[in-house]
Amino acid sequence: MIKNIKLIIWGLGTNGKNLIDVLHSEDIIAIIDSNPDKLAMKTYQNIPIIDFNTYLKESEDAFIVITAMKYHNIVKQLEKHQKTKYFILNEAKVALAALGLIKSNQFIDKCYLDKNANYYISGINLFSVYLYNYLLEYKIKADFITYNKDQQEMLDSLIEANIIRHDPVKNNNMRKSFLIKTDDLVVEGNEEIDIIDYKLINETIYQPWKKDLLKFKNRHKGKRAFIIATGPSIKTEDLEKLEKRNELAISMNGIIYFLDRTTWRPDYYVISDGEMIRLYEEAEKAEDYLKHTEKFFSDNYLRFWEKQHDSTYHGFRQIQKPYEIKFSSDFSDRVYAGYSVVYACIQLAVYMGIEEIYLLGCDFSFSNDLKDKSNHCYGEDFEFYTFDFEGVLNGYRCAKNYAEENNIKIYNATRGGKLELFERVDFDSLFNEK
């Protein structure tokens, strides 16, 4: 596919591992991370894990792909050292799954491209670079549109490094011959062209998931539901009370490690983080515990979706924009990340038409020691787990604003804890006999 490319992944988190899975590690020469536990691993899938100083000394020719959700400080660090050869994974407007189609030679057929068309690709990002060379591999005419000086300099760097097989003179002549209006730029000319439409690509890739999720729209219109988080305040007797009253429940993540203590089972189960999906795969009894539960897993671990699953599994597309948290009313189309799987659960509840949402086990009081087993009701510790209090709170604020504007009630029924954003209600009072 792309010849002579050298990539370094910055960040061995969910996004980093997902990208490595898609690229199958063949283009990656190193991983940068500052976490001591990850550096101690030394390698991941036979790829060296290094710190930033080692990168500066040994790997200056490589292009970096920043996979961390919060990337502003990383960019500042690179620019401080005058390093400009980097991509920001989240800046590409197309889903990572599309890159997987390119790597597996399925993109043209799956995205219905016309092999006789002239295609123009807006912007220089990791996806567009792979896509450009892929189209040329199949002798499909293609060209880039750069919309600022930085983009043009990046294109020039890629050409100079022989990563893009490109004639810049022809490119400049072609760029003057068409008219395009996109979100980013306007270019004038008169040639009839076809645009690589990132939005259309995303819609095509996720169409099967969207069609599947439509059956849940307004399924519980006007009902109430409990979102069961995994804070230490969760008690078996509370869950059994929900079971006895046949209350609608959505739960998440590590609740699978608590289900051996109760006969209660959630109606719906959600994982938004790729690391947690990996742990779910490894959990011995998870599928048995949740065999009658509808399960919603994000696209943050694409290899999971390469396997066959029964009809209780449903995929959803997650949008990770840490500096611009939004709320989605259409779970079938997109789900915004809000630093907590609870945020995805709230979006699911709203999509299903639920008008009263009760949070249980949202303690919002994590220990500074991320390996402290008392952080969760199930007493497990996960080295990967981090909790961004301000990020989670920003997501909750966004959910609260949406709920207030749409006559939806969100209450905090957690026993204790430190989450005061939502109106508090006493859990036991919700079951008083009339």
Side-chain angles (χ1 to χ4, degrees), residues 113-121 128-145 164-167 170-171 174 178 191 194 196:
L113 294 194
D114 181 356
K115 293 183 179 180
N116 297 314
N118 295 329
Y119 285 107
Y120 293 83
I121 306 168
S128 67
V129 170
Y130 274 88
L131 175 61
Y132 177 81
N133 275 8
Y134 171 77
L135 294 178
L136 263 61
E137 190 86 15
Y138 286 88
K139 303 187 185 310
I140 297 175
K141 293 180 180 179
D143 193 17
F144 286 105
I145 304 162
I164 291 177
R165 302 184 299 278
H166 190 267
D167 186 336
K170 289 183 179 179
N171 177 70
M174 291 171 67
F178 54 81
E191 182 179 338
D194 289 284
I196 295 291

Side-chain angles (χ1 to χ4, degrees), residues 343 346 359 362-364 389-404 410-412 416-425:
Y343 194 63
I346 294 173
L359 306 180
C362 289
D363 293 56
F364 205 63
F389 284 95
E390 188 58 33
V392 174
L393 199 56
N394 285 338
Y396 285 165
R397 288 191 188 107
C398 192
K400 182 180 181 181
N401 290 339
Y402 180 89
E404 289 176 347
I410 303 178
Y411 300 102
N412 184 8
K418 297 180 180 179
L419 179 60
E420 305 300 339
L421 181 68
F422 301 106
E423 181 182 343
R424 288 271 192 175
V425 295

